[in-house]
Amino acid sequence: MAKICSRGMNRFQVYSVNGDVRLCSWMRDMHLGNLIDNTVEELYNNEAAKRIKNRLLAQDYSMCIVDSCPYLANNSLAEELIDYDPEQRFPKRLALAFETTCNYACTGCTYHSKLHGKDMEQIERNYEIIEERLREVLPHVTYISANGCGELFASKHILKLLSEWNPDVGIENTEVSLESNGSMFDEKHWKQIENLGKANLSVSITVMSFDEDIYRYLSGTKLPISQIENNLRFIKGLREKNIINHLELCTVVQEQNFREMPRFARRCIEEFGADSVRLRPFVAWGAKEEDIEWFANVRNPRHPMYNDYKRVMSDPIFKHPAVDDWSGEMDSVDSTYSPLQMSKAENKMLSYFWKNSDNFLGKIRSMTPGENGKVAVYGVTDLAKSIVDKIDSTQGFQLEYMIDRDCKDWYYGEKRIWRHIHLKEQDKGLLVIVAQIKRKEQIVSFLKSEGYENVVTIDELVEDYELINELNEILG
């Protein structure tokens, strides 16, 4: 029987106030639609879901984010594969994360800003529809997780659904996984959902640091660390009574806190009774300026503190069976140069292009077959836009579209930007110009995996060897 990743088959996450739904949050091509306009069954079986499942069935993980997925990072995906059931109509695992309400403003998180400027009355109407849709499937669900996109105990609608949950198989035959920042996880708040103590209950608490200043900075809070420590002692008590069956304490390893990781892991195990300690690698989600996020990613071999990071992470505590390093001791996949270095290189290339655009276009034209050479441009950088503008004003070219799987826009002028490529047979002959210097090798590999056979990077069009040497010097 065919095998598929369990997260792509069974998981169903509602992750926004609009009822947006995805299967796995660790992949780029993940959006299925929303619960405002569709039922759970419709979304779970729509064309987007089929495309994702078919890709995973083919063992194609090119759209998966390795820095986010511990199974790929640790080469343990085989343990997550399950038998594929084409007749399965509903997801078996429900992830409730549609309330982005939080009492923190973590430096690496974008969720705390998603409600700013929103129509709160409309959002409340959305919540009512989402709850109605979810209640249709809640009796059939045997696993629930909540809440990775906000603070659980600040999410009144999710707490309500959890407190009322009455599964057909009986709550004692279900699994529940709760995520919290721990700041509100005390006896008073726990009583709202203490019914979940009858399930096989796992609890994950994320603490960015036990150092007061670092904790407050990374969490964006004025709360004292002593409040978290007291709540962790209360949670430890629930674990000792077997009300909680598994306790996981977590953090996100980054430049500001990596030095304390050995002490952090020991406190979690010895003082707070953690069954496991999850060390999650930092991933840039666009919450801060690019240079700040780049500096936070200390796993990048080009980071100035990378060697210190490797030395700290060689501590014997990280071999403890309770410590779960999600990075798999791998360097960051996104091992890019600093934004300042990239900006210097890109500006050099942009200046060269405008001085030598006719030569550029001549080389591009020689690579494109037919009377009107069909081309696509990858990237929405200043350089990419300049190339698009020049091609548009030059005869003998036909620009089909732009491509950028991470772009937040859909159009540049009248030019369509494809975030996720849905390859058409006739597109295989297109010349794709990669107009990005950053991660160009990864982009070329991605494009070729999608079937684009004719791919050229922007530096391959440069005839000035002094510039190439200068770029290599800038980029180290």
Side-chain angles (χ1 to χ4, degrees), residues 74 194 200 202 268 312 388 428 467:
N74 287 275
E194 62 182 353
N200 184 353
S202 299
C268 288
V312 169
V388 168
K428 291 186 177 180
L467 174 62

Side-chain angles (χ1 to χ4, degrees), residues 75-88:
N75 197 28
S76 61
L77 185 61
E79 300 171 14
E80 294 301 311
L81 298 181
I82 61 172
D83 291 337
Y84 175 65
D85 180 5
E87 303 301 320
Q88 184 172 319

Side-chain angles (χ1 to χ4, degrees), residues 136-189:
E136 295 173 2
V137 297
L138 273 173
H140 311 296
V141 172
T142 58
Y143 177 99
I144 286 183
S145 65
N147 180 310
C149 299
E151 168 47 37
L152 172 63
F153 289 103
S155 306
K156 62 179 183 179
H157 295 276
I158 291 176
L159 289 174
K160 183 180 179 183
L161 286 171
L162 292 174
S163 67
E164 297 174 353
W165 187 35
N166 185 24
D168 290 342
V169 297
I171 199 165
E172 65 277 4
N173 297 312
T174 63
E175 293 181 63
V176 176
S177 177
L178 304 179
E179 290 189 37
S180 168
N181 61 37
S183 63
M184 300 172 68
F185 202 138
D186 52 24
E187 184 174 8
K188 175 184 175 182
H189 288 92

Side-chain angles (χ1 to χ4, degrees), residues 61-97:
Y61 307 113
S62 60
M63 297 299 286
C64 299
I65 305 171
V66 178
D67 279 343
S68 295
C69 176
Y71 310 124
L72 287 175
N74 287 275
N75 197 28
S76 61
L77 185 61
E79 300 171 14
E80 294 301 311
L81 298 181
I82 61 172
D83 291 337
Y84 175 65
D85 180 5
E87 303 301 320
Q88 184 172 319
R89 295 170 52 205
F90 298 101
K92 296 180 180 179
R93 296 187 163 214
L94 189 62
L96 305 178

